[in-house]
Amino acid sequence: MKKTFFLCILLILSSQFVIAQHVITGKVHDAANGQPLAGAYIVVHKTKKATSTDYAGQFNLSLETDSPHLLEISYIGYHSQTLELKPGEPMLQIELSPNTAELGTVVVTATRGRRGAYEVPLRVGIMQREAIEALPVFSADDILRSIPGISVSRGASFFGSSTVSLRGMGSEAGRTLVMVDGVPVNKSDGGSVNWNAISFNDIEQVEVIKGPGSSIYGGNAMGGVINLISQTPQKRLEGALSQSIGTFNTYQTQLKVSGRENKFFWGLQGMYRNSDGYITTPADEVDEYSIASFLDEYQIGGRLGYSFTARQSIEISGGYYNGKRGTGAKYSGYGFENDELAAESGAYNQYTNTNLRLVYRASFQNNSSLNMTLYGLNRKSTPIFGSFRNDVITRYDVESGR
């Protein structure tokens, strides 16, 4: 009899304990753009019980009593929030506001891993999106002119090639490694970079290592490293269109559009530029065959990515560039014996760039990370030369690939 009585008391107490247990659910997202915050930390003040949000910003937390609780929600780079949870409350919708003063500038180029700028034992120059947008930039190399310690020169404005070097390397462009999202873009011979082929309207941050980086990146980083980092789409849909007009009938159009839908993110961008140009031949060498050095070029690119979790993602991206630059000479239309050989628009150099890359990134709780990149870059240069002697035109079409 006593045994039965105690068993009943135990069952009653157990049922009351089970009834007292209840599960709360919620979702944490960015107050500015509504994006979910994966890895946000939620802790109960009274019991110190805690959990974190998943990739969709959601969480579940079991409480042992129906009395009100205080929850503290925190996330790196955001203002923490404390709220009172009442029994029977539906799914919580929690918004956290960004706190830019809490999270310092993070760089990846100096150590190939994410580090705070003040933790890097090297001289690192950083330029972020806000500063880039404030500059009168015509091509990607113009961004670097405002960073101390970088030498940027062009022989004939945007009609000629640009030389960028660090630490007094001068014309030794091959001693300064230039990367886009960690992928080298220097030519295999000579080390020069086609800066017109790099889209600058999609750059989020520029990181520059001033001084030898050969221990990490190899011999072509003797003068330093320049890494142009693209924006990662955060909003569901956003875009921008710009048009500029200048002298010599110079026109430039730029377009970019990107988006994110839960785990997927994507982006497209393009540029078209055309100019009649001007005569770049020295005044004492100008003759009847001298013409303006024209420019006609376009560039397109795209990316597609998938975030498995907040710490793991994969991305594929690629781009294509085609540019024609006049050399300032034209021999057609003068009645030469073989006039049909001369280039109708004048002698020119044509360049094409094609690139493709696949990137996998993962970070782990022990502060280690894994970045794997497969990439290919193909360049073709086709100079169209022409000359004449004794009213006979000689034409040379040369195609080289790298």
Side-chain angles (χ1 to χ4, degrees):
M1 184 66 179
K2 291 182 179 181
K3 186 175 180 180
T4 304
F5 175 76
F6 283 116
L7 182 59
C8 291
I9 295 298
L10 181 61
L11 289 174
I12 292 173
L13 293 175
S14 299
S15 63
Q16 290 180 344
F17 179 76
V18 171
I19 292 174
Q21 289 276 345
H22 67 283
V23 178
I24 62 169
T25 60
K27 185 174 182 179
V28 182
H29 50 89
D30 190 314
N33 55 33
Q35 293 297 319
L37 298 178
Y41 187 66
I42 299 95
V43 61
V44 183
H45 274 204
K46 184 176 180 180
T47 63
K48 301 302 179 183
K49 192 170 185 178
T51 187
S52 60
T53 56
D54 59 16
Y55 70 90
Q58 298 181 359
F59 68 91
N60 297 316
L61 190 62
S62 298
L63 300 180
E64 300 176 356
T65 174
D66 285 335
S67 61
H69 288 279
L70 287 179
L71 298 184
E72 182 178 355
I73 302 93
S74 59
Y75 191 75
I76 296 177
Y78 288 76
H79 291 285
S80 298
Q81 185 178 139
T82 301
L83 57 85
E84 183 179 357
L85 177 66
K86 298 179 180 179
E89 198 162 349
M91 183 174 181
L92 303 174
Q93 296 292 336
I94 303 169
E95 294 183 346
L96 297 184
S97 301
N99 180 13
T100 55
E102 185 175 316
L103 184 63
T105 303
V106 176
V107 298
V108 298
T109 310
T111 58
R112 288 199 174 184
R114 293 175 62 85
R115 293 284 186 89
Y118 291 103
E119 299 176 346
V120 177
L122 293 169
R123 289 203 61 189
V124 181
I126 304 170
M127 179 171 287
Q128 297 179 322
R129 184 65 192 173
E130 295 79 5
I132 296 173
E133 291 178 339
L135 294 173
V137 176
F138 195 80
S139 58
D141 56 307
D142 289 332
I143 299 173
L144 307 176
R145 296 180 186 275
S146 58
I147 300 179
I150 301 181
S151 173
V152 182
S153 62
R154 277 184 181 263
S157 183
F158 56 87
F159 302 109
S161 59
S162 177
T163 300
V164 176
S165 63
L166 281 164
R167 290 303 191 205
M169 291 295 174
S171 60
E172 295 291 334
R175 299 302 185 184
T176 298
L177 177 64
V178 179
M179 302 187 296
V180 176
D181 295 325
V183 175
V185 293
N186 301 75
K187 291 183 180 178
S188 56
D189 59 329
S192 61
V193 175
N194 187 355
W195 289 95
N196 287 31
I198 300 175
S199 174
F200 63 85
N201 66 339
D202 196 37
I203 297 176
E204 175 68 23
Q205 182 168 300
V206 178
E207 299 177 3
V208 180
I209 300 178
K210 302 176 182 181
S214 301
S215 60
I216 299 178
Y217 293 101
N220 53 347
M222 184 181 296
V225 181
I226 299 172
N227 193 8
L228 310 176
I229 300 174
S230 304
Q231 288 179 303
T232 299
Q234 298 296 333
K235 297 181 180 180
R236 186 171 184 179
L237 181 64
E238 61 180 330
L241 173 65
S242 66
Q243 175 72 54
S244 60
I245 302 174
T247 54
F248 308 111
N249 290 325
T250 302
Y251 301 91
Q252 177 175 277
T253 301
Q254 290 189 330
L255 173 67
K256 70 172 182 177
V257 60
S258 62
R260 176 182 285 270
E261 187 67 35
N262 295 326
K263 297 182 179 182
F264 286 97
F265 59 90
W266 58 275
L268 294 172
Q269 51 82 20
M271 176 275 293
Y272 175 73
R273 184 157 49 200
N274 178 273
S275 177
D276 291 345
Y278 57 90
I279 294 180
T280 57
T281 306
D284 59 344
E285 298 179 13
V286 173
D287 54 28
E288 58 183 312
Y289 308 110
S290 299
I291 62 171
S293 298
F294 63 88
L295 175 69
D296 188 6
E297 61 184 357
Y298 67 89
Q299 181 266 339
I300 56 175
R303 64 194 301 192
L304 178 65
Y306 182 82
S307 299
F308 300 98
T309 67
R311 296 173 175 268
Q312 187 180 22
S313 66
I314 190 169
E315 177 183 340
I316 184 171
S317 63
Y320 177 78
Y321 168 85
N322 188 303
K324 183 186 291 186
R325 303 177 193 176
T327 60
K330 180 180 179 181
Y331 304 113
S332 64
Y334 292 95
F336 292 133
E337 181 178 330
N338 52 348
D339 186 78
E340 69 280 359
L341 286 182
E344 183 177 352
S345 58
Y348 63 88
N349 295 323
Q350 185 163 9
Y351 306 93
T352 60
N353 286 13
T354 306
N355 67 84
L356 184 67
R357 67 187 180 96
L358 177 66
V359 181
Y360 172 80
R361 300 184 182 94
S363 59
F364 308 98
Q365 295 181 350
N366 59 356
N367 292 326
S368 61
S369 62
L370 174 65
N371 290 337
M372 298 178 62
T373 304
L374 297 175
Y375 67 91
L377 179 61
N378 182 47
R379 292 187 177 90
K380 285 187 178 180
S381 175
T382 309
I384 307 298
F385 297 108
S387 63
F388 72 95
R389 185 177 181 181
N390 297 327
D391 291 338
V392 177
I393 294 175
T394 302
R395 175 170 170 172
Y396 304 92
D397 293 6
V398 181
E399 181 176 305
S400 61
R402 300 175 176 86

